[in-house]
């Protein structure tokens, strides 16, 4: 397959086969591909919010320390290839096509023998592991899909450290109907005797993770961002002190990123204890250099244009905190697009009080909440400003820009799935006037 054919193939798999939890199919697939995971070492993260940003910090520090560092994340925002990176560089289209072709051949052979065909996520994960083995990665920062114990990434055994990012109520139809149930699923990535870093949990979730660590004799480090002292804070960066680290500077925005950064620093401390040579210089340079597209990212200056993948109530609450921090006394216009299987009513309740005008869009894909349904939901909250239903993402960008003054703020959020299209639309509109 060429690259276009490979991406189409994965799209067909996505539409053909819904989410399937369990490891038997993934183990069989990787066995046919030579078990690439067995020659790699992993920093494995699960959780509901903050997974990608926390790993962005950790991977950046490891890279600055001189380790060849792979990173696997989903979903991609601006390029399909950004899901699979080595030392911050996405896999090439040619390599992606070649590896997906190899995985497809193994998957088709499984199906021909009467076994379940691998899902799209299993297929992409296998391609990533093949690529990391080819590139000789010293470390792989590995992000789960939505689960933990039965997530396709949990076939890995050589986990040097597990991270449990904040757990909240999401994907309940698959993971459970209580925080305790979901936390136990997420904690399924913890390996016996291997260290664990726990970040920003509710008491219920923390108790569950502590129990798992005790059962598996896994040393637990709990990140305590409440002990962090922020010394500088603005729309273009944050500086803070945490434990032995002084004047850490990060470019990722949003007050919640400080908590993610603290978890990353705890992970770095764990890696040092395990014998990884990570100098202070690598820590400071890596933390500042970390990037995570689509997470409170500034994509335009006048007016200020920010995009964020706040896709569930907890993320919406964090977004609201950032709005209050950065945009007090400024007129704010929203572009909102949310998936129908999210708690969009709660997301709207949390965020709309800070908006002056809202444009709704329909994200791509079969899970999308129609723009008109989101508009109705917003109006049901009692929002008194204007809500416009947009026929396209590009149309929403154009309309928002036409209504915004140079000192206003445009904030697009709700689902990562449409932010790539939005950024391209913004670039085209800006370039063409």
């Amino acid at each position: 397959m060429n690259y276009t054919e490979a991406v189409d193939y994965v799209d067909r798999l996505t539409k053909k086969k819904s989410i399937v939890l369990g490891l038997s199919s993934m183990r069989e697939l990787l066995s046919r591909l030579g078990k690439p995971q067995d020659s790699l070492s992993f920093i494995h993260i699960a959780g509901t919010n903050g997974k990608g940003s926390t790993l962005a910090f950790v991977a950046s520090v490891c890279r600055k320390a001189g380790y060849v560092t792979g990173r696997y994340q989903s979903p991609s925002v601006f390029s399909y290839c950004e899901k699979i990176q080595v030392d911050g560089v996405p896999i090439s289209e040619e390599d992606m096509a070649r590896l997906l072709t190899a995985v497809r051949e193994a998957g088709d052979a499984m199906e021909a023998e009467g076994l379940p065909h691998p899902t799209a996520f299993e297929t992409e994960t296998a391609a990533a592991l093949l690529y990391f083995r080819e590139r000789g990665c010293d470390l792989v920062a590995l992000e789960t899909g939505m689960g933990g114990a039965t997530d396709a990434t949990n076939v890995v055994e050589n986990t040097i450290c597990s991270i449990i990012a904040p757990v909240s109520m999401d994907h309940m139809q698959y993971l459970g109907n209580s925080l305790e149930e979901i936390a136990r699923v997420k904690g399924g990535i913890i390996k016996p005797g291997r260290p664990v870093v726990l970040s920003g949990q509710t008491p219920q979730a923390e108790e569950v993770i502590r129990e798992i660590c005790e059962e598996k004799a896994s040393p637990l480090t709990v990140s305590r961002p409440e002990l962090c002292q922020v010394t500088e804070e603005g729309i273009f960066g944050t500086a803070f002190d945490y434990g032995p680290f002084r004047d850490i500077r990060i470019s990722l925005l949003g007050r919640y990123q400080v908590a993610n950064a603290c978890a990353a620093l705890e992970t770095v401390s764990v890696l040092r204890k395990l014998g990884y040579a990570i100098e202070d210089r690598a820590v400071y340079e890596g933390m500042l250099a970390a990037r995570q597209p689509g997470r409170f990212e500034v994509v335009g200056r006048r007016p200020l244009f920010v995009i964020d993948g706040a896709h569930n109530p907890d993320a919406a609450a964090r977004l609201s905190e950032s709005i209050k921090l950065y945009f007090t006394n400024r007129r704010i216009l929203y572009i909102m697009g949310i998936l129908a299987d999210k708690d969009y009513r709660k997301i709207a309740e949390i965020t709309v009080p800070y908006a002056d005008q809202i444009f709704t869009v329909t994200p791509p894909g079969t899970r999308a909440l129609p723009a008109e349904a989101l508009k109705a939901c917003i109006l049901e909250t009692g929002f008194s400003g204007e809500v416009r239903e947009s026929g396209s993402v590009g149309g929403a960008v154009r309309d928002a820009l036409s209504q915004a003054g140079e000192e206003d703020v445009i904030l697009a959020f709700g689902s990562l799935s449409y932010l790539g299209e939005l950024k391209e639309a913004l670039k085209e509109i800006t370039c063409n006037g």
Side-chain angles (χ1 to χ4, degrees):
M1 296 185 292
N2 61 30
Y3 177 70
T4 300
E5 292 168 338
V7 174
D8 288 344
Y9 167 67
V10 175
D11 284 344
R12 290 197 304 273
L13 282 182
T14 302
K15 295 171 183 175
K16 175 182 177 182
K17 197 163 188 178
S18 60
I19 295 170
V20 176
L21 298 178
L23 302 180
S24 58
S25 182
M26 190 65 183
R27 288 196 177 106
E28 176 64 26
L29 176 62
L30 290 175
S31 178
R32 293 172 183 241
L33 294 168
K35 298 183 178 179
Q37 75 277 17
D38 288 353
S39 60
L40 299 165
S41 296
F42 298 92
I43 302 164
H44 199 184
I45 190 167
T48 308
N49 296 305
K51 299 194 299 291
S53 297
T54 303
L55 274 196
F57 287 122
V58 174
S60 184
V61 169
C62 291
R63 185 166 70 249
K64 292 291 184 180
Y67 294 99
V68 179
T69 307
R71 185 175 169 208
Y72 180 56
Q73 61 178 357
S74 62
S76 56
V77 182
F78 305 126
S79 163
Y80 180 70
C81 289
E82 74 187 28
K83 292 185 178 186
I84 303 171
Q85 302 179 18
V86 171
D87 287 342
V89 179
I91 186 174
S92 69
E93 292 183 357
E94 293 76 15
D95 284 336
M96 180 70 90
R98 174 176 55 83
L99 293 172
L100 285 175
T101 298
V103 177
R104 177 180 183 171
E105 291 172 355
D108 289 349
M110 288 171 58
E111 188 174 45
E113 295 172 22
L115 298 172
H117 194 287
T119 65
F121 185 66
E122 289 168 337
T123 297
E124 291 171 333
T125 302
L129 295 172
L130 287 172
Y131 186 63
F132 297 145
R133 182 178 66 180
E134 284 186 1
R135 293 294 304 273
C137 289
D138 300 309
L139 292 166
V140 174
L142 185 67
E143 182 180 334
T144 59
M146 67 171 185
T150 54
D151 185 85
T153 62
N154 205 32
V155 293
V156 304
E157 297 294 339
N158 301 332
T159 299
I160 59 172
C161 180
S162 300
I163 308 171
I164 308 299
V167 174
S168 64
M169 302 299 289
D170 200 13
H171 296 296
M172 285 86 80
Q173 67 271 42
Y174 298 104
L175 305 180
N177 294 311
S178 69
L179 276 177
E180 292 86 351
E181 289 177 324
I182 295 174
R184 187 158 293 280
V185 172
K186 304 283 188 181
I189 69 168
I190 295 170
K191 299 298 186 289
R194 307 310 298 165
V196 178
V197 173
L198 184 63
S199 172
Q201 304 296 338
T202 62
Q204 304 99 302
E206 182 171 329
E207 182 179 355
V208 170
I209 299 303
R210 285 186 178 279
E211 289 175 359
I212 295 173
C213 288
E214 290 175 5
E215 292 166 4
K216 297 187 175 183
S218 299
L220 175 63
T221 298
V222 180
S223 173
R224 296 299 184 194
E226 65 273 14
L227 302 179
C228 169
Q229 182 175 357
V230 175
T231 55
E232 293 180 29
E233 201 166 33
I235 193 61
F236 300 113
T238 305
F240 64 92
D241 300 333
Y242 181 68
F245 300 102
R246 290 291 182 267
D247 198 33
I248 290 287
R249 293 180 178 270
I250 60 175
S251 299
L252 294 184
L253 299 177
R255 181 162 284 174
Y256 57 88
Q257 292 294 7
V258 174
N260 295 332
C262 290
L265 290 171
E266 294 287 6
T267 304
V268 169
S269 296
V270 168
L271 293 176
R272 284 173 159 178
K273 292 175 184 176
L274 292 173
Y276 287 88
I278 303 175
E279 299 177 351
D280 284 351
R281 173 200 55 79
V283 176
Y284 286 91
E285 291 181 2
M287 295 297 287
L288 180 61
R291 298 291 183 271
Q292 183 67 353
R295 276 70 170 187
F296 212 83
E297 179 185 4
V298 176
V299 294
R301 297 295 178 94
R302 297 182 71 86
L304 192 67
F305 204 128
V306 179
I307 59 176
D308 187 76
H311 63 286
N312 58 42
D314 273 17
R318 293 190 177 103
L319 177 60
S320 295
E321 290 176 4
S322 297
I323 292 171
K324 289 184 284 187
L325 173 65
Y326 298 123
F327 305 143
T328 300
N329 299 323
R330 297 182 71 170
R331 181 169 174 265
I332 303 173
L333 296 81
Y334 284 175
I335 299 175
M336 295 177 65
I338 304 178
L339 301 182
D341 56 3
K342 301 297 181 180
D343 190 352
Y344 55 87
R345 296 184 186 281
K346 189 65 176 177
I347 294 171
E349 288 175 6
I350 293 170
T351 57
V352 298
Y354 306 100
D356 294 279
Q357 188 173 4
I358 300 175
F359 301 88
T360 63
V361 299
T362 305
T366 57
R367 296 163 57 201
L369 179 70
E372 58 269 23
L374 180 55
K375 176 181 177 179
C377 172
I378 291 169
L379 293 174
E380 287 172 5
T381 69
F383 178 67
S384 58
E386 181 183 10
V387 184
R388 292 192 194 178
E389 170 195 331
S390 298
S392 68
V393 171
V397 172
R398 192 176 299 278
D399 290 345
L401 287 171
S402 71
Q403 295 293 311
E406 286 193 351
E407 300 304 317
D408 294 341
V409 176
I410 301 173
L411 176 57
F413 68 97
S415 172
L416 284 167
S417 62
Y418 80 96
L419 297 184
E421 180 184 351
L422 183 145
K423 194 172 182 179
E424 285 300 313
L426 176 63
K427 180 179 178 181
E428 182 179 346
I429 292 168
T430 303
C431 290
N432 294 336

